[in-house]
Amino acid sequence: MANSVQQFDFIIVGAGSAGCVLANRLSEDGKHSVLVIEAGPWDRKLMIHVPAGVYKVFQDPTTNWNYETEAEPDVLQRRMSMPRGKVVGGSSSINAMVYMRGHPTDYDHWASDFNLPKWDYSQCLPYFKAGETSDRGANEWRGGEGPLNTTRGKLENPLFDAFEEAGDTSGQGRSDDLNGFKPEGVARLDSTKRNGRRCSAAVAHLRPALKRTNVTLYTDALVKRVLISGNRATGVLISHRGQDVTFHAEREVILSGGAINTPQLLMLSGIGPPDHIRGHGISVTQDLPGVGQNLQDHPTTIIKYACKKPVTIHKALHPINQLAAGMRWMTTGTGLAASNLWEAGGLVRSTADAKTPDIQYHFGPVGFTYQTDSSISLDQAFSMHIDVSRPTSKGRIYLKSANPADKPLMRFNYLSTPEDQRSIVAGIRRGRDLIAQPSFDAYRGDELGPGSDAQSDEDVLEFAKTSLGTDYHPSCTCRMGTDGDAVVDEEMRVHGIEGLRVVDASVIPRITCANLNAPVQMIAARAADFILGRDQLSPDNARFHFEPA
């Protein structure tokens, strides 16, 4: 979209989860001009909006940055695929749509452990609620009038019933709502859907904002660097349709490119670890050694079981079934195509000594076998992701070169600590115990992964190292804080540079114990009030049930 005006009050880099929220909130009073710059295309592809199309979407190279990690030393030197959304809506347009806020104590620890008193859960909950319309209805924990629609899992399948019952009988617990009164146990999950379609951040926030005359969106535009004069960010230089274009920000430049792109752009702009920046021939603008450091993610593996009854969705890829599911979705917005498949899950403790949940489950009535990098087959099986939800391993994002078109390098150091290795082994054992419950007796066939031969801790860990992947939650690379390794303050202003903020998953100081899309949208909503000098919403001390440690 062309625009002859080269100056805006606010320039937002990235039309992902945070950028879409910011565009909506910063423009709603009509007083400020807002430019949003997105490296990818519009979200016009049909499969983006079909929930069950998620596996096609996140493998689509036209809407994906297609990142890959460096060889990971503690998981057999394997390189991990790291898809991130390069499309309007960002990763909220290609993710599995699970809406999870994490555990309330996640945020309380941000406040206490990182000297961030504005970020305890009582001050975050009002923004979660204000941003959401839950089909569960508004209550003490959930919102009913926000722009983002969230929907409790609706796919009927006896395996989901068996899963929930197993939470009770295994002692791992059961919850009616993991974002509600009891944020622990197993449950039917929420997803970001509206009328059976994906409700991405673009659908919820950006498209309404673009109806206003004070919001401009550039797609297929790569930001090459932030322009800085003295100690102030003044604008950005972009490449758009083969031309370099400069935009000036009257008030602020806001980086919302995510935990990979944002630190890359900061370093390209001379902000970050000075020796690393100079090593690529870039002049140092601000010495901030924490840029790109503290990289965190949720490592995951999958346990998989053959199913003795044909209740799984193994026939979903048959052309006739695909056609029938597609027609039902187009006419009614219901059925299998309206499901994101991972409709149940849990937050549980790996051991009795764990003070809070440290393992996350995602459960689905489906078993995947990857035929190639881009094709899968479905088995008569059911599966469960086992995530290390409180990892202690940390990695780093760093520059490959001074060329903005070169992908940055990244190493997550998955399972590099004894704590994470113990957690993944304990999590697999907890998952096995859940599936061993009587409610699964009628369905549980052979264990296909890890397999019944893997019984010792050493064997289970070897399986984890061989099969480990990511749950696609990179974060924490420009963290909030007041110490020397922090990149931004608690209002997300970059230390030492005026007129520059970072608002995305990179500012998280320690990863939450669940999916990140909901926290990132909450963070962005709070950031908008900080940016405009508005009062934050009043704290909300809701009641919660926590299991005794």
Side-chain angles (χ1 to χ4, degrees):
M1 182 184 301
N3 191 310
S4 59
V5 178
Q6 301 295 299
Q7 182 165 301
F8 298 83
D9 291 320
F10 299 107
I11 297 175
I12 300 168
V13 179
S17 295
C20 290
V21 172
L22 287 167
N24 196 20
R25 296 293 303 279
L26 294 177
S27 66
E28 61 190 349
D29 61 8
K31 296 179 181 179
H32 306 100
S33 57
V34 177
L35 171 65
V36 184
I37 303 169
E38 169 55 43
W42 273 96
D43 58 341
R44 293 193 175 102
K45 290 197 171 185
L46 175 63
M47 295 311 292
I48 287 176
H49 303 283
V50 181
V54 59
Y55 281 93
K56 288 184 178 294
V57 170
F58 89 80
Q59 292 178 331
D60 184 346
T62 67
T63 56
N64 186 344
W65 284 98
N66 296 298
Y67 290 129
E68 186 180 63
T69 73
E70 295 299 287
E72 292 288 344
D74 292 282
V75 288
L76 311 179
Q77 298 294 325
R78 294 165 53 227
R79 294 176 182 267
M80 306 288 191
S81 174
M82 183 59 63
R84 306 307 300 153
K86 187 181 181 182
V87 61
V88 169
S91 293
S92 78
S93 288
I94 71 168
N95 68 3
M97 290 157 278
V98 175
Y99 179 85
M100 287 278 284
R101 299 172 181 172
H103 199 275
T105 57
D106 291 336
Y107 304 89
D108 292 341
H109 284 301
W110 291 4
S112 61
D113 297 351
F114 295 92
N115 193 26
L116 299 168
K118 295 180 181 179
W119 286 93
D120 66 42
Y121 195 65
S122 70
Q123 296 175 85
C124 297
L125 179 57
Y127 285 88
F128 279 123
K129 291 167 65 175
E132 175 194 34
T133 292
S134 170
D135 72 342
R136 298 171 185 261
N139 58 32
E140 189 175 353
W141 307 274
R142 307 304 294 262
E145 298 180 354
L148 181 73
N149 287 78
T150 62
T151 303
R152 184 181 185 273
K154 289 181 166 56
L155 184 66
E156 294 184 4
N157 190 289
L159 289 168
F160 288 134
D161 300 328
F163 177 79
E164 288 192 274
E165 185 177 337
D168 286 327
T169 58
S170 67
Q172 295 185 35
R174 181 173 178 174
S175 174
D176 291 330
D177 181 1
L178 289 171
N179 295 306
F181 174 63
K182 188 181 180 186
E184 181 171 353
V186 305
R188 290 300 293 262
L189 301 179
D190 293 293
S191 60
T192 49
K193 289 186 288 189
R194 177 188 295 170
N195 298 325
R197 298 171 63 93
R198 178 190 293 270
C199 186
S200 68
V203 170
H205 300 280
L206 185 58
R207 289 188 181 276
L210 288 170
K211 295 178 181 178
R212 304 174 188 136
T213 59
N214 57 329
V215 180
T216 301
L217 171 68
Y218 270 69
T219 58
D220 302 296
L222 179 67
V223 179
K224 301 175 77 170
R225 68 177 183 271
V226 178
L227 303 175
I228 299 171
S229 178
N231 68 337
R232 182 172 184 83
T234 60
V236 296
L237 174 68
I238 76 167
S239 175
H240 184 246
R241 297 177 181 172
Q243 301 292 320
D244 282 355
V245 183
T246 297
F247 293 107
H248 295 283
E250 183 69 21
R251 293 190 56 170
E252 292 194 18
V253 175
I254 307 162
L255 306 187
S256 298
I260 296 171
N261 294 47
T262 288
Q264 179 195 21
L265 182 56
L266 284 172
M267 289 186 281
L268 290 170
S269 306
I271 301 169
D275 291 343
H276 178 61
I277 291 172
R278 289 192 192 99
H280 289 286
I282 302 169
S283 298
V284 176
T285 303
Q286 180 67 25
D287 180 348
L288 280 180
V291 172
Q293 308 294 322
N294 195 45
L295 175 61
Q296 298 174 38
D297 187 19
H298 292 135
T300 187
T301 189
I302 298 176
I303 60 174
K304 176 179 166 183
Y305 292 81
C307 189
K308 293 190 291 187
K309 293 185 176 182
V311 296
T312 64
I313 62 169
H314 56 288
K315 296 182 179 180
L317 296 183
H318 189 283
I320 294 177
N321 294 335
Q322 282 187 299
L323 178 62
M327 292 298 295
R328 179 176 176 183
W329 178 80
M330 292 178 68
T331 55
T332 69
T334 63
L336 183 58
S339 173
N340 58 321
L341 307 183
W342 305 101
E343 289 198 4
L347 293 175
V348 303
R349 305 184 194 207
S350 61
T351 67
D353 296 330
K355 294 182 179 179
T356 54
D358 58 342
I359 296 295
Q360 183 179 12
Y361 297 145
H362 294 92
F363 177 85
V366 60
F368 294 100
T369 297
Y370 285 87
Q371 306 296 328
T372 66
D373 289 341
S374 59
S375 67
I376 59 173
S377 63
L378 301 183
D379 310 317
Q380 185 172 315
F382 55 89
S383 306
M384 188 160 67
H385 277 267
I386 309 290
D387 289 12
V388 177
S389 64
R390 298 191 185 278
T392 56
S393 302
K394 298 177 182 178
R396 176 189 173 197
I397 302 291
Y398 47 109
L399 295 177
K400 180 179 182 180
S401 76
N403 183 351
D406 283 346
K407 295 177 182 179
L409 303 177
M410 63 196 76
R411 180 173 283 120
F412 286 78
N413 293 320
Y414 293 117
L415 302 188
S416 63
T417 65
E419 294 87 350
D420 288 0
Q421 293 182 11
R422 286 194 293 268
S423 290
I424 196 73
V425 170
I428 291 170
R429 294 197 183 283
R430 290 288 271 172
R432 280 173 155 176
D433 179 58
L434 192 82
I435 305 301
Q437 296 304 305
S439 58
F440 277 105
D441 286 351
Y443 309 104
R444 183 182 57 253
D446 292 339
E447 183 180 285
L448 304 177
S452 58
D453 291 342
Q455 294 299 324
S456 69
D457 286 353
E458 292 76 14
D459 288 344
V460 173
L461 180 59
E462 183 66 17
F463 165 78
K465 289 182 176 182
T466 302
S467 61
L468 196 84
T470 168
D471 221 351
Y472 315 114
H473 302 151
S475 54
C476 307
T477 50
C478 299
R479 70 169 175 84
M480 289 188 283
T482 57
D483 60 282
D485 289 328
V487 177
V488 299
D489 67 13
E490 65 179 344
E491 295 188 11
M492 290 161 275
R493 296 170 292 208
V494 174
H495 290 304
I497 301 291
E498 296 180 5
L500 182 62
R501 289 189 211 234
V502 172
V503 182
D504 56 29
S506 68
V507 305
I508 293 172
R510 181 186 295 146
I511 194 169
T512 61
C513 71
N515 309 67
L516 293 185
N517 185 246
V520 167
Q521 294 198 36
M522 176 275 295
I523 287 168
R526 296 199 67 188
D529 283 348
F530 287 135
I531 291 165
L532 295 176
R534 297 188 294 217
D535 290 339
Q536 294 279 299
L537 298 178
S538 298
D540 191 337
N541 290 293
R543 299 166 298 131
F544 289 99
H545 170 77
F546 298 144
E547 298 290 343

